[in-house]
């Protein structure tokens, strides 16, 4: 029996995940709802030191040892435990083929199942090519970590490893804990600014509904569900054109990519009232920037394309949408309460929600752990028949950090979507990008 002190209120993100709860075997609390991070390691790795450093990370970050008690709606932090560390030999692989084998290794781990109730909620896999070349993969249940958290965990792991190896302090500043954030954000919702944000969303989303992605199979067919991932790249010259247009229009690269996606949806559906769901980091409070946890927020972006004549017009409208929404970023549950009709089309038998996300990590892709250096593996192009779960529908994800080509993925539920159809969708979106981001004066009816 837990005491009152053990019963930490759920964060609003955790409450959001509870809205999609499908039990212990599916959905956001199922064994497939995970987030992964892989690095290529150069230099010798001491497995004993690595194990100790992993355990140090769990001591430092309470989210990795926290249970969400869904029936009674609270979270409970438990004592630190030993991180499962699996070491394997990746075989005699020629140097030229090792990057591909590393990508395959990450995919093999990502397709596994990892419980949301077995603590700690992090697993580590070390695959060795030889004594000085390896792949280190960290996988965390997504209820405990987000995109921001994963390179943060790796940064802290490297600091603990170097400190232990060299018998010195790790040098990390103290980090606030995720349960503190849960309390802080609930208090913030009582502020005048939160009340004004609720008023904004009630007006902004009056009569609005998300634009769903039409499914290939009806929900009522009852097909078996996995989440597959189609991967693609955005060529270096197209990325350069994107950045140039962003600079010329005083927009972020995300705004230009979203504008292209808005134009793509307009071309696909004929709709001019385009509501797209995206994710924000949820890290507006700087004191929680070093905190591991699930902070991300689901945010609707409504753009009126009526009267737009060129892609530049679409960028201008999209930019305005984003700036207004960012300034009023409050937890999705609060937004949904102002617009209960918003998600309706995403629940249809022939439609599902599709989120559009662009991520740019605030942490370096490379690092030094004393005994070894590491480089994040961002460019993954192998498709995946079963990977980290999307609770319902599909999601675009574009990584802005890759030098040269940008890496992109389109994840989708296989009970609703066909792999060939999603590959075609991604190819068509890339075609829209090519026709827009380098030519902002392109007439909208010619995109």
């Amino acid at each position: 029996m837990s005491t009152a002190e053990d019963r930490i209120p759920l964060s609003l993100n955790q409450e959001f995940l509870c809205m999609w709860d499908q039990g212990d075997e599916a959905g956001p609390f199922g064994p497939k709802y995970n987030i992964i991070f892989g690095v290529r390691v150069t230099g010798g790795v001491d497995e004993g030191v690595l194990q100790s450093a992993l355990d140090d990370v769990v001591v430092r970050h309470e989210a990795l040892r926290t249970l969400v008690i869904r029936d009674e709606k609270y979270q409970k932090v438990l004592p630190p435990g030993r991180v499962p560390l699996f070491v394997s030999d990746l075989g005699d692989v020629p140097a030229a083929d090792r990057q591909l084998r590393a990508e395959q290794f990450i995919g093999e781990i990502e397709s596994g199942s990892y419980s949301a109730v077995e603590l700690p909620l992090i697993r580590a896999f070390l695959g060795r090519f030889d004594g000085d070349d390896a792949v280190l993969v960290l996988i965390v249940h997504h209820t405990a970590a987000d995109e921001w958290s994963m390179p943060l965990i790796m940064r802290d792991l490297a600091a603990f490893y170097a400190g232990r190896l060299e018998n010195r302090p790790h040098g990390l500043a103290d980090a606030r804990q995720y349960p503190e954030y849960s309390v802080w954000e609930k208090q913030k919702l009582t502020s005048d600014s939160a009340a004004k944000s609720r008023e904004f969303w009630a007006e902004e989303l009056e009569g609005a509904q998300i634009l769903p992605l039409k499914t290939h199979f009806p929900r009522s067919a009852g097909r078996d569900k996995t989440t597959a991932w189609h991967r693609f790249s955005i060529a270096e010259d197209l990325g350069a054109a994107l950045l140039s247009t962003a600079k010329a229009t005083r927009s972020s690269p995300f705004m230009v990519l979203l504008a292209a996606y808005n134009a793509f949806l307009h071309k696909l559906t004929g709709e001019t009232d385009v509501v797209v769901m995206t994710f924000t980091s949820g890290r507006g409070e700087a004191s929680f920037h070093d905190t591991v946890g699930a902070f991300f927020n689901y945010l609707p972006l409504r753009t009126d394309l009526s009267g737009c004549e060129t892609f530049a017009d679409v960028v201008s409208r999209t930019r305005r949408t984003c700036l207004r929404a960012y300034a009023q970023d409050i937890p999705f549950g609060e937004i949904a309460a102002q617009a209960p009709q918003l998600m309706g089309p995403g629940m249809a038998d022939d439609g599902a929600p599709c989120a559009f996300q662009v991520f740019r990590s605030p942490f370096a892709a490379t690092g030094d752990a004393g005994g070894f250096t590491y480089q994040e593996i961002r460019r993954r192009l192998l498709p995946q028949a079963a990977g980290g779960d999307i609770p319902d529908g599909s999601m675009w994800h574009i990584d802005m950090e890759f030098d040269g080509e940008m890496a992109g993925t389109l994840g989708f539920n296989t009970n609703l979507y066909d792999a060939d159809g999603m590959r075609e969708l991604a190819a068509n979106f890339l075609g829209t990008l090519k026709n827009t981001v380098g030519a902002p004066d392109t007439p909208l009816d010619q995109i």
Side-chain angles (χ1 to χ4, degrees):
M1 180 72 68
S2 61
T3 65
E5 289 75 17
D6 293 328
R7 293 172 174 260
I8 303 163
L10 294 183
S11 71
L12 294 168
N13 178 281
Q14 290 167 332
E15 291 181 1
F16 167 70
L17 294 178
C18 285
M19 293 169 55
W20 303 87
D21 191 356
Q22 299 173 40
D24 291 342
E25 299 304 320
F29 296 97
K32 296 289 188 179
Y33 190 61
N34 301 293
I35 185 166
I36 200 162
F37 186 84
V39 296
R40 188 77 175 269
V41 173
T42 302
V45 179
D46 185 309
E47 293 170 18
V49 176
L50 179 60
Q51 178 69 70
S52 296
L54 286 163
D55 296 343
D56 289 338
V57 169
V58 172
V59 173
R60 176 173 168 84
H61 294 293
E62 290 181 354
L64 300 175
R65 46 190 170 92
T66 296
L67 287 179
V68 176
I69 313 301
R70 285 121 64 196
D71 55 349
E72 299 182 54
K73 299 295 188 291
Y74 69 92
Q75 55 180 314
K76 181 177 181 179
V77 180
L78 295 178
R82 188 177 178 85
V83 175
L85 171 61
F86 305 91
V87 180
S88 58
D89 184 350
L90 296 181
D92 186 15
V93 181
D97 297 332
R98 288 184 176 184
Q99 192 66 16
L100 177 62
R101 180 66 187 99
E103 186 177 342
Q104 291 171 336
F105 182 59
I106 296 173
E108 291 161 6
I109 295 163
E110 192 173 24
S111 64
S113 297
Y114 311 92
S115 172
V117 296
E118 294 180 8
L119 300 180
L121 297 173
I122 179 173
R123 307 283 185 273
F125 297 79
L126 180 66
R128 293 186 180 276
F129 290 116
D130 57 42
D132 292 310
D133 189 2
V135 182
L136 177 62
V137 181
L138 306 176
I139 190 163
V140 181
H141 202 274
H142 210 344
T143 55
D146 54 15
E147 292 268 5
W148 183 297
S149 299
M150 298 306 288
L152 171 61
I153 290 172
M154 186 64 218
R155 182 204 71 181
D156 290 359
L157 174 63
F160 283 124
Y161 185 95
R164 284 186 172 274
L165 190 71
E166 299 167 8
N167 194 28
R168 59 170 175 77
H170 53 69
L172 295 169
D174 290 342
R176 298 188 71 179
Q177 298 300 323
Y178 189 69
E180 293 181 64
Y181 174 75
S182 302
V183 174
W184 175 86
E185 68 170 347
K186 292 282 179 68
Q187 294 172 342
K188 187 180 178 184
L189 283 182
T190 65
S191 67
D192 291 342
S193 63
K196 291 178 181 178
S197 292
R198 285 188 283 268
E199 292 174 3
F200 166 82
W201 287 111
E203 180 179 347
E204 176 75 2
L205 298 177
E206 183 178 2
Q209 292 187 309
I210 64 164
L211 193 58
L213 189 63
K214 188 173 178 60
T215 62
H216 301 136
F217 312 108
R219 293 179 184 273
S220 56
R223 291 167 51 90
D224 290 339
K225 175 197 167 186
T226 60
T227 297
W229 294 86
H230 169 67
R231 295 189 170 94
F232 57 91
S233 63
I234 297 174
E236 185 173 357
D237 60 343
L238 190 54
L242 164 69
L243 297 176
S244 176
T245 297
K247 182 178 180 180
T249 58
R250 295 183 298 114
S251 303
S252 69
F254 169 75
M255 293 173 186
V256 178
L257 283 165
L258 178 62
Y261 187 57
N262 283 337
F264 175 67
L265 290 176
H266 171 67
K267 180 180 178 181
L268 197 65
T269 67
E271 295 289 339
T272 56
D273 185 5
V274 179
V275 182
V276 174
M277 300 304 302
T278 192
F279 292 97
T280 61
S281 70
R283 304 268 182 163
E285 175 57 35
S287 64
F288 291 105
H289 283 186
D290 284 340
T291 305
V292 167
F295 286 79
F296 63 87
N297 190 37
Y298 206 38
L299 197 71
L301 298 174
R302 185 184 194 181
T303 306
D304 178 11
L305 301 185
S306 60
C308 287
E309 296 183 356
T310 67
F311 179 62
D313 294 336
V314 178
V315 173
S316 177
R317 297 276 184 93
T318 302
R319 180 180 184 275
R320 179 177 183 273
T321 293
C322 291
L323 292 176
R324 283 163 49 84
Y326 296 160
Q328 309 293 340
D329 187 1
I330 56 174
F332 177 70
E334 298 294 305
I335 296 172
Q338 313 309 312
Q341 81 290 341
L342 178 68
M343 301 301 294
M347 304 298 110
D349 195 39
D350 62 348
C354 181
F356 187 84
Q357 176 182 7
V358 176
F359 183 71
R360 185 170 189 171
S361 174
F363 299 100
T366 62
D368 189 338
F372 64 82
T373 59
Y374 64 88
Q375 171 78 48
E376 183 183 350
I377 298 172
R378 286 184 171 142
R379 187 178 184 273
R380 297 175 59 194
L381 294 179
L382 293 178
Q384 188 120 5
D389 187 42
I390 295 172
D392 186 49
S394 57
M395 181 179 75
W396 299 87
H397 178 100
I398 297 173
D399 185 349
M400 284 295 301
E401 292 300 313
F402 184 66
D403 293 333
E405 295 178 344
M406 290 187 291
T409 58
L410 175 57
F412 56 94
N413 294 161
T414 58
N415 61 320
L416 302 177
Y417 296 104
D418 170 73
D420 289 339
M422 297 307 265
R423 278 195 296 272
E424 182 179 358
L425 185 77
N428 289 340
F429 174 57
L430 285 174
T432 298
L433 279 180
K434 293 174 184 176
N435 292 335
T436 55
V437 298
D441 293 329
T442 301
L444 191 56
D445 59 5
Q446 294 181 21
I447 292 175

